[in-house]
Structure formats: C-alpha cells, structure tokens
C-alpha cells in the first residue's frame, strides 16, 4: 500500500511527464518521395518532436503555404505546423524550440529554398538564415547558420 507521500510524488511525476516532458507535435506536409523532407522530419524526431507527414499534390501543398501567410520567395519543399506556428523548410529543431519558448507574435519561421547544410540537406558550411515571418508578411533574421 502506498503512503500519501508516495501517492503525491507519483501523481506529481505523472503530471510532469505529460506536461513538461511531452513532445510537441509537428504536422508536416510535403510531396511524395522527397528525401530531404524525410531528412528534416528525422532531424525533428531526433530532437524530441513527434512528427506526422501527409503527402500532397504540389498545387495543394503550395496552396497551404499561401493560406499560412507565406509569400512567394519564403517557401521551400515542405511545410510544418506546430502550436499555431508555421515552420517552412529546413528550419533547425533548435530554432523551432526557441520559437515555442519565446512565443513571438508572428506567423512562424522559414528557411527559404533548400540551402546546403540545413537539416535534411546534408553537410555544408554554406551560410543561411532562419527568418521570422511577421503577421504583415515582413521578415526578420531569427538565426544565422552556421553558428
């Protein structure tokens, strides 16, 4: 039989495990057969995110990007959604975690195009920017890589 203290501690640990340590869910949309999209998904999973992916025809995927508030020139090959934010392209998991911690008043993050060295795109020292997309469609640099 458990004591009151043991019962309390067990309950507290159960709450912590479901709230603080629960993985964020990322809903991802891509086209079928895109290897770099799968690479990005694995990168997020290795960082503790739970990722679901739905393959869409290119026209439907592009429509989702525009509905999310992304303008041409800010897009990449896949689009993710996490906690009300859009995460477009090969955004490093560390920046997704920072976005969720800081909770800026913005649409989300993007790494336009598919720069070499970004998660899912292989190894490279090629510099690239992670952009914060504001609600008016403007952007500001959120992070620069390599760090």
């Amino acid at each position: 039989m458990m004591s009151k203290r043991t019962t309390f501690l067990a309950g507290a640990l159960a709450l912590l495990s479901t709230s603080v340590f629960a993985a964020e869910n990322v809903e991802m949309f891509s086209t079928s057969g895109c290897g770099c999209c799968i690479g990005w998904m694995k990168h997020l999973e290795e960082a503790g995110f739970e990722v679901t992916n739905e393959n869409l025809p290119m026209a439907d995927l592009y429509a989702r990007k525009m509905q999310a508030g992304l303008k041409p020139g800010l897009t990449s090959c896949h689009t993710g959604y996490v906690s009300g934010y859009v995460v477009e392209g090969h955004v490093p998991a560390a920046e997704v975690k920072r976005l969720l911690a800081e909770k800026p008043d913005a649409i989300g993050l993007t790494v336009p195009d598919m720069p070499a060295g970004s998660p899912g795109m292989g190894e490279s020292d090629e510099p690239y920017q992670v952009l914060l997309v504001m609600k008016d469609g403007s952007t500001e640099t959120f992070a620069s890589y390599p760090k």
Side-chain angles (χ1 to χ4, degrees), residues 16-30:
L16 281 174
S17 67
T18 58
S19 60
V20 175
F21 300 112
E24 289 285 344
N25 294 313
V26 177
E27 183 180 22
M28 179 177 146
F29 297 91
S30 64

Side-chain angles (χ1 to χ4, degrees), residues 73-98:
L74 295 179
T75 62
S76 184
C77 55
H78 55 265
T79 304
Y81 297 90
V82 59
S83 295
Y85 290 106
V86 65
V87 180
E88 177 70 11
H90 297 270
V91 177
E95 305 312 329
V96 177
K97 288 179 179 181
R98 181 176 154 214

Side-chain angles (χ1 to χ4, degrees), residues 35-50:
C36 65
C37 295
I38 300 303
W40 184 71
M41 183 171 75
K42 288 180 180 177
H43 167 75
L44 288 183
E45 289 172 341
E46 289 169 0
F49 290 94
E50 291 182 8

Side-chain angles (χ1 to χ4, degrees), residues 6-144:
T6 304
T7 302
F8 173 78
L9 288 175
L13 285 174
L15 284 174
L16 281 174
S17 67
T18 58
S19 60
V20 175
F21 300 112
E24 289 285 344
N25 294 313
V26 177
E27 183 180 22
M28 179 177 146
F29 297 91
S30 64
T31 57
S32 180
C34 182
C36 65
C37 295
I38 300 303
W40 184 71
M41 183 171 75
K42 288 180 180 177
H43 167 75
L44 288 183
E45 289 172 341
E46 289 169 0
F49 290 94
E50 291 182 8
V51 184
T52 59
N53 183 42
E54 181 179 340
N55 292 319
L56 299 174
M58 184 59 77
D60 293 345
L61 179 60
Y62 189 76
R64 279 195 181 264
K65 295 171 187 295
M66 297 303 106
Q67 290 168 353
L70 296 169
K71 294 181 179 179
L74 295 179
T75 62
S76 184
C77 55
H78 55 265
T79 304
Y81 297 90
V82 59
S83 295
Y85 290 106
V86 65
V87 180
E88 177 70 11
H90 297 270
V91 177
E95 305 312 329
V96 177
K97 288 179 179 181
R98 181 176 154 214
L99 174 77
L100 296 174
E102 294 180 5
K103 297 180 182 8
D105 187 24
I107 292 171
L109 298 175
T110 185
V111 172
D113 303 318
M114 296 168 20
S118 60
M121 292 300 297
E123 298 295 320
S124 174
D125 289 335
E126 181 181 319
Y128 67 94
Q129 306 292 310
V130 178
L131 303 175
L132 180 66
V133 182
M134 308 309 290
K135 290 187 176 180
D136 66 1
S138 65
T139 62
E140 59 185 57
T141 300
F142 192 73
S144 296

